[in-house]
Amino acid sequence: MLRRRKGAVGGAVLGLMLALAGTLLPAPAVAAAPPAGAAALTAVAVSNEAAGVPEQAPVPAAAGQEAVLAQVKLDGKWGFIDRQGKFVIPALFSDTKAFIDGVVAVSSNKKWGYYDKTGKVIVPVAFDEVHDYQEGLAAVRSKKKWGFYDHNGNLAAPVQFDEIAGCQEGLALVKRNKKWGYIDKNGTSPIEPQFVEAGSFAEGMAPVKNQGKWGFIDTAGKLVIPYQFKNAAGYREGLAPVQVGAKWGFIDAGGRLVIPGQFAEIGDGFSEGLAAVKLKRKWSYIDNTGKPVISAPYDQVFPFSDGIAEVRVSKTSFSLLAAVAAVAGQATGTTLGHGLNLLPSNEKRGYIDRNGHLIVPTKYDAVGAFNAGWSLVRVEKKWGYVDKTGAFMIPAQYEELSDFREGFARAKTNGKWSFIDKSGQMLPTRPFADAAPFHNGLAAVQLEDKWGFIDTRGRLVIAVQFDEARNFSDGLAAVKKNDMWGVIDATGTFVVPAQREISQMLDFSNGLLAAKVNGKWGYLDQTGNIVIEPQFSEARPFFAR
């Protein structure tokens, strides 16, 4: 029987049944960020009470401690509890976004607002749409009008604008009566709406359009570069792209045309001293004098970062079936490492260095984004890793290949899983039917239909015996044996005996584990005591917010 710690109270975790042992609980869906350009906006300040969401006093975290909260669902609504099971954010919401910088967007009755991690209402739950905070401001929309709230819950700008764009260098773009202007973080308008079109500030200046031409203003709104260009974009590394007639060139901070208009297209401006430009239907990179330094005969080119640049070509022969198969593998949590970011079926990715050398060819079936200096590549249906010189650090010989965790990646050969280190050396183990990543120095592995655990030397340190197994966390792992869930330590000893009333368990996090007991979710401590009574229909692990 489960023990109840004296004074245990209500709380919860996401009751999500995990099909694969060792699979991590997915994060809650996060609404897409607003586009970089101006987006339509407006709203009126409305209290939570008026919106049907009662106010509550904030719950301060202990001095010097981060707020550790878990998201739970009670009576069909989401809220957030602390480690004592007390609701910090009430269970009143049909949807939430993720916590970012200590605040979370919540929705009730199709209206959105923000709470902070203490339970304080930052933005009343009264708006049709809210955007993520950017430089201390969150855009909110009511009907067809937009405004801004600051991080302290103050209405920084009234809900009166027709459109808005993100805040850059302390100033946000706003549109009212068909004209663009700028407001600061205090909601004042140092630059009143007066421009037909406008861009965000960068390096102290912003492109603006009036009289059919583009010029540049400073942060005081002074026109420092007169209206004269057909088009213009923001400054990067001291230079801004401008269109003179039909061609693009670059001006310096004084407005001098230092790279004459000669390009049919330009990329995203200068980065690491180079800019992508198109001349006579061919892309190349120029330096800040305008001298071509790299020929780039590709369909798409991107800015340099850490000495390399992504390039893409269109390939109608790219296997859509293979891409779909790869995505399907990724969905199972058993394949494809960090940052793979598969492209559309008719595109292939490669990388060039500052000399223009194609260090990762565009001929590969798939190429991932670089992470810690390595990128996943697929060659003729086999996966491997290359470094930033294009050299294969792990040969392309695996049917599936994961990212590295605790020094090891999972690799699949002939339908079986093993582990390799960054030298390509395989752990001395027998092949497994399935395998989870290493956590706390142990990895769950499956032989036939049972699970056990190996250590980083490849030794089977906990015998294969479990129907399902979670990852180790805080030195403990939840396991299922004989249709009963319990908790084991790193020696395989049950510290919380397997019990039939527990139908599901998640990983330990911050000293507590979510368990589904007799159909409801609650939380256990590391000794198996119930510290938050089972009462929730769904629950997620505790994390610092």
Side-chain angles (χ1 to χ4, degrees):
M1 295 290 293
L2 288 169
R3 302 181 305 276
R4 280 158 171 79
R5 189 180 67 185
K6 187 176 181 179
V9 291
V13 204
L14 173 59
L16 191 61
M17 303 299 286
L18 302 180
L20 293 175
T23 301
L24 294 176
L25 184 69
V30 180
L41 311 170
T42 311
V44 278
V46 180
S47 70
N48 267 2
E49 186 175 359
V53 178
E55 303 280 356
Q56 67 172 40
V59 179
Q65 292 185 358
E66 285 190 284
V68 178
L69 304 177
Q71 187 173 357
V72 297
K73 183 179 271 190
L74 181 66
D75 297 329
K77 300 293 184 181
W78 289 101
F80 292 84
I81 59 172
D82 62 18
R83 286 168 50 85
Q84 286 70 49
K86 182 177 181 180
F87 273 99
V88 175
I89 298 175
L92 298 169
F93 306 107
S94 56
D95 198 5
T96 73
K97 299 184 183 181
F99 264 90
I100 300 176
D101 296 330
V103 297
V104 61
V106 296
S107 176
S108 177
N109 298 320
K110 299 183 179 180
K111 299 295 183 182
W112 286 87
Y114 270 99
Y115 277 72
D116 72 8
K117 60 188 178 183
T118 72
K120 178 184 175 182
V121 179
I122 302 300
V123 176
V125 185
F127 298 101
D128 298 311
E129 186 177 353
V130 295
H131 287 178
D132 292 341
Y133 274 87
Q134 188 175 8
E135 293 195 11
L137 294 178
V140 298
R141 178 178 65 83
S142 179
K143 296 181 180 178
K144 295 183 178 181
K145 297 294 182 181
W146 292 85
F148 288 94
Y149 274 81
D150 67 19
H151 243 301
N152 296 317
N154 300 313
L155 184 63
V159 181
Q160 60 181 334
F161 301 106
D162 304 316
E163 297 182 55
I164 58 98
C167 187
Q168 298 288 337
E169 298 190 358
L171 293 169
L173 263 171
V174 294
K175 188 179 185 180
R176 187 175 58 211
N177 298 327
K178 300 182 180 180
K179 297 289 186 179
W180 287 93
Y182 300 83
I183 63 170
D184 63 20
K185 294 182 180 181
N186 297 317
T188 60
S189 298
I191 306 172
E192 288 289 337
Q194 57 190 286
F195 307 108
V196 176
E197 294 184 54
S200 295
F201 273 89
E203 300 183 12
M205 288 189 281
V208 293
K209 184 179 182 181
N210 266 338
Q211 305 165 14
K213 298 290 184 181
W214 287 82
F216 287 81
I217 59 172
D218 63 16
T219 54
K222 180 183 177 181
L223 187 67
V224 291
I225 298 175
Y227 300 118
Q228 57 186 297
F229 306 111
K230 184 177 180 181
N231 209 339
Y235 277 87
R236 294 186 66 172
E237 298 186 359
L239 297 173
V242 295
Q243 190 175 14
V244 181
K247 300 296 183 181
W248 287 84
F250 290 85
I251 59 173
D252 64 14
R256 293 177 291 272
L257 192 64
V258 293
I259 301 176
Q262 57 190 297
F263 309 113
E265 295 181 48
I266 53 97
D268 293 329
F270 277 87
S271 177
E272 298 186 358
L274 299 174
V277 297
K278 182 179 275 190
L279 183 63
K280 295 181 180 179
R281 298 183 180 180
K282 293 183 179 180
W283 285 99
S284 62
Y285 288 87
I286 59 172
D287 63 18
N288 56 17
T289 70
K291 177 183 176 181
V293 292
I294 299 173
S295 175
Y298 308 103
D299 298 312
Q300 297 181 64
V301 294
F302 295 84
F304 272 85
S305 177
D306 294 329
I308 62 173
E310 179 183 337
V311 295
R312 297 180 186 177
V313 296
S314 297
K315 295 282 187 179
T316 55
S317 61
F318 182 75
S319 172
L320 176 59
L321 181 61
V324 171
V327 172
Q330 189 175 35
T332 67
T334 59
T335 183
L336 309 184
H338 173 87
L340 180 64
N341 188 18
L342 281 174
L343 297 175
S345 60
N346 65 333
E347 290 182 15
K348 288 191 176 183
R349 174 193 286 125
Y351 290 91
I352 60 174
D353 63 17
R354 291 181 62 87
N355 296 315
H357 297 146
L358 193 62
I359 57 174
V360 179
T362 55
K363 67 181 180 181
Y364 294 146
D365 297 331
V367 178
F370 274 91
N371 178 41
W374 285 22
S375 172
L376 271 169
V377 298
R378 187 177 69 211
V379 184
E380 296 179 355
K381 299 182 181 180
K382 300 292 185 181
W383 290 93
Y385 273 101
V386 296
D387 65 11
K388 287 187 176 181
T389 71
F392 272 93
M393 307 308 293
I394 304 294
Q397 60 186 10
Y398 299 105
E399 296 159 10
E400 298 183 45
L401 189 60
S402 77
D403 56 350
F404 280 87
R405 184 179 176 88
E406 297 189 10
F408 294 92
R410 293 164 292 145
K412 190 175 187 180
T413 306
N414 297 324
K416 297 291 185 179
W417 289 93
S418 56
F419 291 84
I420 58 172
D421 62 20
K422 285 200 169 184
S423 71
Q425 185 71 31
M426 189 173 293
L427 279 181
T429 63
R430 59 184 293 186
F432 302 110
D434 203 353
F438 275 97
H439 288 263
N440 291 180
L442 297 173
V445 294
Q446 185 182 32
L447 287 173
E448 297 180 354
D449 60 347
K450 297 295 182 182
W451 290 81
F453 290 86
I454 63 170
D455 64 13
T456 55
R457 295 173 62 182
R459 299 175 302 181
L460 189 66
V461 292
I462 299 177
V464 173
Q465 57 187 295
F466 307 113
D467 305 321
E468 296 183 49
R470 299 284 177 259
N471 295 318
F472 267 88
S473 177
D474 300 335
L476 300 172
V479 294
K480 183 180 181 181
K481 186 174 183 179
N482 299 326
D483 290 326
M484 297 184 293
W485 282 90
V487 177
I488 59 171
D489 63 16
T491 69
T493 302
F494 274 95
V495 295
V496 178
Q499 303 168 63
R500 292 199 181 279
E501 63 249 54
I502 303 177
S503 59
Q504 189 60 272
M505 283 182 166
L506 304 182
D507 293 343
F508 269 98
S509 179
N510 288 281
L512 295 178
L513 171 148
K516 193 173 187 180
V517 182
N518 296 323
K520 295 292 184 180
W521 286 88
Y523 289 88
L524 311 182
D525 65 15
Q526 293 176 330
T527 66
N529 287 320
I530 294 178
V531 294
I532 299 174
E533 285 290 337
Q535 58 190 292
F536 307 107
S537 57
E538 297 186 49
R540 294 186 173 127
F542 277 92
F543 288 108
R545 305 294 179 175

